[in-house]
């Protein structure tokens, strides 16, 4: 039933409610047996063990586990009992899983936060008496009392209302207090924010008092429906996860293919079958960059630390990169693009503003956003409220009422009486017989009244909430009825929740980076359009779509027309989730920012949810992947830049690792092809992959973003991490490195081959710093990479030089001449890649 559409008399007739008596205790017990408690259902979060097991679902991890199992079986069958390879691989996989559990763990506290928003105790009428009961024991049909400062414990229809005003922005997205009334609403298509004869669970009473009839409790309330959406909604797989899984599958298939080809090639050349099986397994292990999963996790963790210093706290590791891939940012208006604080943005009076500010201070209860805005306005005019209230103490008041649309206070002032009235301008103008101008009173003529009306309409056209202020001064104490007649009209004030100062530049930065900013708000169409236009999100009214218009559009039609809209107004949480999914269906990576309860389902459904840290509700924070601690929309631009930089660095690391692995495969494959003994042992391959490759790859993650990174379009989620040109580059670089190692093997021995393969890869890491020439960038920009190359080179030299390590890695000491040849060959990757970069730039 649409409770807002029926009158109180109809409600009493249909439900049998007796407001003065409420439900009987026996009736409550019967209802409690039929309905769930007035609380939100909460799912049990997965335990540590379940989270640990989930880390092994990645295809790359499964491939590594398979390689470890085969290597273990081969060593066992051979009778060597040398399990170094599988033990090292398993250790890497376990370390990666532990890092994933503790740094990638995403707490699912959304429902718990929603539950904590509900008040623990409530005052109700039962058995004809006013009594306090736990809010979880409320049932439909209860009559509940509301007073200033309390949480609303359930959804319901108002029965009585005395200046009742609620704050619902966290639920509806509409800024400002909502003044309530008890009258029926005829329109059957009323949005949540316009149901002003209803109250909703989890919202707050700002001022006034009243009673309401409970219509829904627990999971049936509006906040309960959001909780249901959160529990049903799953976070989408991130672009990075998709790309790494795809890369992992390709590597796994390639490794298997290499094993098969090498095995049959060796058998064809009359090599021992078991020996070739072991060699092919070693080569397959070499083809897979064992350290890649752990490297990616550590690089993301380093990104988390850097972003935390810039007020962006990441709660889900892949979100670091996902934000860099964002192509659409769906942003809530209130508290995200705007300050979530009413301010006076328009003032019209015929004289000094201070006179208007003094009156605004006197007729003020500090009870809502607009009244706080009036105090701020007075302070801007150098008016001190404590002095003004002392000079004119209040002796009487007529509180604001939504039916009267005005409020009046009476003060003793200079041995006279001063009444101040504020409210709807049209009502105050009707009651005014004069107006104030520069300290002089003038009769309120038709032309003067028309001028004030024109200014009020101008404010309204700018999406400002307009308030009129008038007063009356008399030597004798006036009667209550005459306080709001024969008024002197003082002026008009226009209010708005203004855009954040930095939001305009942030929106422009997003647009320059190829990211489409979209405003999705529960606020009215006019207000949403005004803010959107001021920020540069939209420039025409036909780019705004309302929730009511969304409801009558099928997904197919909306998807076809989605590109023309930039602002969505008067929307519900269901609308927000629908829009996020439609953008995702078009191949977009969607970021959703917000701060309210009503944003939580969409925050969770988006590829990356960004909640506000200061003004955001706990529900929004716990549903999000990232929290902006300074509530600054521009922080998201810095986070996008960082995310893009991290993705670039991950690409550089993978490019480096794969080109190096291709070099290792080339070395062994060519040796077998030409009938030579296998030049590298499994332990040497693992040393190269886990020591001399991994540390430089990790340090590539510290590379700062390129200067032009925010002028590039975002990478489409369906696109591969590497295009054909990149794969070709990796193949050429890898084959060149392999050729250098083979030359060292042919000209010298297996130790020289081992040294050249390792050291040339270390030198090759400098080529990954930038797509520009090293002559332009230098190698000292990334000091961590320089240090890691020096350290790894020292480790490589030590396993060749020290006798104890020679036995472990099966190496022999080299002469000075051999070391000279190793050094020359190891430096050659730099001139080759420099030539490759120059050709690429010309093309």
């Amino acid at each position: 039933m649409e409770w807002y559409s029926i009158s109180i008399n109809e409600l009493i007739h249909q439900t049998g409610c007796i407001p003065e008596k409420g439900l009987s205790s026996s009736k409550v017990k019967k209802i409690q047996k039929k309905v769930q408690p007035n609380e939100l259902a909460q799912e049990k979060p997965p335990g540590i063990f379940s989270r640990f097991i989930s880390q092994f679902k990645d295809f790359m991890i499964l491939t590594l586990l398979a390689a470890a199992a085969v290597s273990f079986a081969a060593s066992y069958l051979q009778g060597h009992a040398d399990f170094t390879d599988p033990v090292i691989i398993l250790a890497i996989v376990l370390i990666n899983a532990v890092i994933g559990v503790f740094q990638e763990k995403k707490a699912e506290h959304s429902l718990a936060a929603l539950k904590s928003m509900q008040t623990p105790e409530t005052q109700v009428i039962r058995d004809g008496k006013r009594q306090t009961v736990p809010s979880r024991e409320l049932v439909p049909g209860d009559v509940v009392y509301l007073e200033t400062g309390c949480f609303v414990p359930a959804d319901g229809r108002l029965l009585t209302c005395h200046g009742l005003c609620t704050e619902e922005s966290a639920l509806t997205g509409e800024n400002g207090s909502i003044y309530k009334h008890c009258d029926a609403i005829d329109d059957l298509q009323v949005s949540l924010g316009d149901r002003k004869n209803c109250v909703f669970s989890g919202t707050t009473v700002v001022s006034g008092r009243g009673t309401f009839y409970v219509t829904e409790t627990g999971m049936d309330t509006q906040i309960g429906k959001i909780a249901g959406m959160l529990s049903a909604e799953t976070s989408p797989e991130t672009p990075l996860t998709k790309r790494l899984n795809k890369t992992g599958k390709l590597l796994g298939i390639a490794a298997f293919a290499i094993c098969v080809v090498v095995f049959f090639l060796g058998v064809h050349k009359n090599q021992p079958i078991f020996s070739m099986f072991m060699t092919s397994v070693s080569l397959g292990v070499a083809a897979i960059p064992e350290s890649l999963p752990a490297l990616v996790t550590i690089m993301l963790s380093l990104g988390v630390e850097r972003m935390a210093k810039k007020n962006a706290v990441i709660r889900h590791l892949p979100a670091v990169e996902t934000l860099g891939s964002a192509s659409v940012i769906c942003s809530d208006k209130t508290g995200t693009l705007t300050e979530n604080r009413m301010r006076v943005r328009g003032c019209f009076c015929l004289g000094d503003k201070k006179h208007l500010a003094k009156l605004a201070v006197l007729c003020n209860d500090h009870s809502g956003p607009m009244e706080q805005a009036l105090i701020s306005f007075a302070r801007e005019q150098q008016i001190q409220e404590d002095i003004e209230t002392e000079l004119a103490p209040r002796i009487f008041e007529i509180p604001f009422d939504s039916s009267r649309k005005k409020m009046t206070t009476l003060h003793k002032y200079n041995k006279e009486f001063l009444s101040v009235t504020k409210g709807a301008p049209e009502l105050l103008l009707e009651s005014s017989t004069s107006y104030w101008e520069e300290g002089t009173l003038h009769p309120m003529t038709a032309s003067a009244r028309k001028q004030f009306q024109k200014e009020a309409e101008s404010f309204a056209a700018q999406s400002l909430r307009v308030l009129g202020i008038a007063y009356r001064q008399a030597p004798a104490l006036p009667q209550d009825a005459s306080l709001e007649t024969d008024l002197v009209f003082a002026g008009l004030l226009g209010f708005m929740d203004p855009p954040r100062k930095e939001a305009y530049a942030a929106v422009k930065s997003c647009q320059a980076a190829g990211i489409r900013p979209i405003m999705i708000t529960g606020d009215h169409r006019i207000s949403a359009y005004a803010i959107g236009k001021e920020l540069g999100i939209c420039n025409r009214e036909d780019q705004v779509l309302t929730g009511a218009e969304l409801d009558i559009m099928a997904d197919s039609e909306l998807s076809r027309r989605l590109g023309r809209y930039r602002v969505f107004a008067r929307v519900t949480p269901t609308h927000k989730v629908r829009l996020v999914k439609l953008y995702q269906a078009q191949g977009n990576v969607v970021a959703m920012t917000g701060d309210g309860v009503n944003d939580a389902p969409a925050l969770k459904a988006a590829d990356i949810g960004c909640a506000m840290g200061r003004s955001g509700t706990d529900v929004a924070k716990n549903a999000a992947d990232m929290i902006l601690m300074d509530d600054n929309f521009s922080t998201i631009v810095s986070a996008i830049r960082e995310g893009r930089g991290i993705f670039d660095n991950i690409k550089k690391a993978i490019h480096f690792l794969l080109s190096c692995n291709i070099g290792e495969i080339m070395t062994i494959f060519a040796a077998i092809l030409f009938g030579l003994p296998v030049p590298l042992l499994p332990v040497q391959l693992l040393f190269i992959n886990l020591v001399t490759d991994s540390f430089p790859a990790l340090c590539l993650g510290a590379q700062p973003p390129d200067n032009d990174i925010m002028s590039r379009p975002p990478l489409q989620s369906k696109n591969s991490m590497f295009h054909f040109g990149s794969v070709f580059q990796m193949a050429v670089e890898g084959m060149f490195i392999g050729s250098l190692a083979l030359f060292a093997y042919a000209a010298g021995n297996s130790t020289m081959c081992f040294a050249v393969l390792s050291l040339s890869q270390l030198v090759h890491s400098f080529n990954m710093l930038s797509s520009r020439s090293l002559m332009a960038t230098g190698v000292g920009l990334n000091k961590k990479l320089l240090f890691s190359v020096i350290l790894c080179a020292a480790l490589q030299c030590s396993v060749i030089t020290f006798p104890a390590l020679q036995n472990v890695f099966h190496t022999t000491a080299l002469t000075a001449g051999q070391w000279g040849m190793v050094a020359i060959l190891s430096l050659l990757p730099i001139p080759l890649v420099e030539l490759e970069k120059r050709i690429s730039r010309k093309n």
Side-chain angles (χ1 to χ4, degrees), residues 487-688:
L487 298 176
V488 178
F489 196 81
L492 299 164
L493 293 172
F495 298 80
M496 178 185 271
D497 176 17
R500 292 178 178 273
K501 293 178 181 178
E502 63 282 344
Y504 178 81
V507 167
K508 289 300 177 188
S509 297
C510 288
Q511 291 169 338
I515 302 166
R516 197 185 332 163
I518 302 293
M519 183 195 295
I520 302 180
T521 177
D523 213 341
H524 292 277
R525 182 189 194 115
I526 296 175
S527 299
Y529 172 65
I531 295 294
K533 186 176 181 181
E534 187 169 345
L535 289 174
I537 294 175
C538 64
N539 50 37
R540 302 191 313 272
E541 288 191 38
D542 61 0
Q543 292 178 318
V544 182
L545 195 70
T546 65
E549 292 167 326
L550 274 171
D551 287 333
I552 61 175
M553 293 177 69
D555 281 353
S556 57
E557 181 186 2
L558 180 56
S559 180
R560 188 174 64 254
R561 300 170 59 183
L562 199 57
R564 72 176 66 172
Y565 300 115
R566 293 292 182 271
V567 174
F568 297 90
R570 222 66 183 139
V571 295
T572 65
T574 305
H575 291 144
K576 293 184 179 184
V577 174
R578 182 187 176 196
L579 288 168
V580 166
K581 290 186 175 181
L582 282 174
Y583 279 117
Q584 289 172 329
Q586 293 183 347
N588 291 292
V589 175
V590 181
M592 173 76 194
T593 72
D595 63 347
V597 175
N598 61 322
D599 297 319
L603 287 171
K604 189 174 180 182
D607 294 288
I608 175 166
C610 310
M612 301 295 127
R614 290 180 182 173
S615 61
T617 59
D618 287 343
V619 184
K621 292 175 187 175
N622 290 317
D625 303 281
M626 183 177 84
I627 299 171
L628 305 178
M629 296 307 295
D630 57 357
D631 283 14
N632 193 333
F633 182 77
S634 65
T635 301
I636 203 168
V637 178
S638 300
I640 289 172
R641 177 183 171 83
E642 191 68 40
R644 289 188 174 189
I646 289 168
F647 179 68
D648 269 9
N649 290 344
I650 290 173
K651 279 182 64 178
K652 291 173 184 176
I654 294 176
H655 183 134
F656 170 67
L657 291 174
L658 293 184
S659 60
C660 292
N661 282 22
I662 290 172
E664 296 163 17
I665 295 167
M666 165 76 178
T667 304
I668 297 176
F669 185 79
I672 294 172
L673 185 64
F674 293 121
L676 300 173
V678 177
L680 297 168
L681 298 174
V683 68
Q684 293 172 336
L685 288 172
L686 277 174
F687 179 83
I688 293 173

Side-chain angles (χ1 to χ4, degrees), residues 183-206:
D183 300 330
I185 300 173
D186 295 332
D187 190 354
L188 295 179
Q189 297 295 326
V190 177
S191 65
L192 202 63
D194 289 328
R195 299 176 191 177
K196 296 184 179 179
N197 57 7
C198 297
V199 289
F200 304 101
S201 177
T203 60
T204 311
V205 177
V206 176

Side-chain angles (χ1 to χ4, degrees), residues 803-821:
L805 295 175
Q806 287 175 350
N807 295 331
V808 175
F809 290 94
H810 307 284
T811 59
T812 57
L814 299 180
T815 65
Q818 289 173 325
W819 273 118
M821 179 179 288

